[in-house]
Amino acid sequence: MNLTQLRSLVAVADAGSFTAAATSVGVTQSGMSQALAALEESLGVKLLARQRHGVELTAFGERALDHARAALLHLEAIRKEAAEATGEEAGSVRIAAFPSIFATVLPPLLRRFRALHPGIELVVLETDDREVEAWLNAGAIDLGVVLNPSPDSDAVPIGQDAWVAVLPTAHRLGRRGTLSFAELAAEPFVLATGGCHVHARTLAEAAGLSLADVRMEVRDWTSAIALVREGVGVSLVPESTLPERRKGLRTTRLDPSLCRHFGLKASPVRRRSRAANLLIELARG
């Protein structure tokens, strides 16, 4: 067996035909057919069954495919670790964050990293903040942006965002310099979660309050702000999510103020690669 044969088996399984598989690997169709025929001969068992509309793996072929994929993954891991050991700019970093982070603190950090380390691949995944924590604990990602990390956490602080009240222009509280959370919570309310478990309702509960009259509940901050503009109610949103054009809106800070904090955290169960360490060091700087 050789790498060409293993890559050919995986390619055919993924593509479902010799023609498409050969194109994806960059060899001729006849060359791929010969490689797979040689693999079958060396094993003494059929791996593929030609069908009218393509090719399918036999039962043994499916089992062999699992081993082929694993072998190629291990070989890639060896290549990456060798590149790291020699100081070569290579490897990849899997990083996850929740939606509003992608519009605020994360893009500038990733742009700087790409400029400094163009040979390192960044795989960026979007999910909710609780899923980020779950993926970190499962080792599914290298790094994650976590919300409100505990003071004793090893998360690297990368930013913060104040919570602000958003009201329709004509609202009776709109001209106030500051508002208490209790005053805001008593009004007809548009609740947005932003894909996070920390939002106006949970913040109110933590303060011993409740949102008395929730008129609408949405996920997206932009949707909540649009509904406030239409007079549906008031809302509480992160300051970074406010639009540049605020016609029809008034914004007011809370007294006492509330902020959410962001931290870049490494998976506690995944081996930390040199590429991941480089991103953490950049965040610390």
Side-chain angles (χ1 to χ4, degrees):
M1 285 183 283
N2 57 49
L3 286 179
T4 299
Q5 293 168 344
L6 296 180
R7 289 195 178 101
S8 296
L9 180 62
V10 171
V12 167
D14 291 340
S17 75
F18 283 104
T19 303
T23 301
S24 68
V25 175
V27 299
T28 64
Q29 183 175 337
S30 62
M32 176 162 286
S33 296
Q34 290 171 13
L36 289 169
L39 179 59
E40 289 180 325
E41 184 177 353
S42 68
L43 294 172
V45 64
K46 294 292 291 183
L47 300 172
L48 304 167
R50 286 178 171 80
Q51 306 293 337
R52 179 182 299 179
H53 301 296
V55 63
E56 293 182 356
L57 270 67
T58 63
F60 184 83
E62 292 285 356
R63 289 155 56 193
L65 175 65
D66 292 338
H67 293 297
R69 289 192 193 279
L72 293 175
L73 285 173
H74 286 303
L75 287 169
E76 178 62 16
I78 292 172
R79 187 194 66 78
K80 287 182 178 179
E81 291 192 24
E84 291 175 6
T86 58
E88 180 184 335
E89 290 290 301
S92 65
V93 180
R94 290 172 61 85
I95 178 171
F98 43 94
S100 56
I101 287 296
F102 286 95
T104 52
V105 300
L106 194 56
L109 176 63
L110 297 185
R111 279 197 299 271
R112 287 164 53 208
F113 186 81
R114 286 191 176 101
L116 291 170
H117 309 288
I120 297 176
E121 178 188 14
L122 289 173
V123 180
V124 185
L125 309 168
E126 180 182 292
T127 186
D128 63 69
D129 60 321
R130 283 181 166 165
E131 195 75 56
V132 171
E133 295 273 12
W135 288 355
L136 284 169
N137 292 332
I141 53 177
D142 297 292
L143 305 171
V145 178
V146 295
L147 181 63
N148 296 334
S150 61
D152 59 349
S153 168
D154 60 356
V156 178
I158 59 173
Q160 66 179 42
D161 203 0
W163 290 96
V164 295
V166 184
L167 308 95
T169 300
H171 196 282
R172 60 186 176 80
L173 298 176
R175 295 187 180 279
R176 295 269 299 275
T178 59
L179 287 174
S180 70
F181 199 172
E183 290 174 306
L184 189 70
E187 297 295 314
F189 211 91
V190 176
L191 175 64
T193 65
C196 297
H197 79 283
V198 178
H199 46 73
R201 178 176 280 143
T202 59
L203 290 169
E205 291 171 354
L209 304 169
S210 64
L211 302 181
D213 182 11
V214 176
R215 298 291 175 89
M216 295 282 289
E217 182 171 340
V218 296
R219 175 183 173 90
D220 190 65
W221 303 114
T222 304
S223 300
I225 292 168
L227 289 166
V228 171
R229 184 180 275 118
E230 294 301 317
V232 175
V234 303
S235 193
L236 184 72
V237 304
E239 188 173 26
S240 63
T241 66
L242 293 173
E244 291 185 9
R245 295 182 65 257
R246 300 181 190 175
K247 184 178 181 181
L249 300 171
R250 288 193 182 275
T251 60
T252 305
R253 293 192 174 275
L254 294 183
D255 185 17
S257 63
L258 288 174
C259 285
R260 57 182 193 160
H261 301 267
F262 315 126
L264 184 65
K265 185 177 178 181
S267 169
V269 298
R270 189 180 177 104
R271 176 185 172 275
R272 194 182 300 183
S273 66
R274 179 173 179 271
N277 282 330
L278 287 171
L279 184 50
I280 290 173
E281 290 304 314
L282 181 62
R284 282 200 177 100

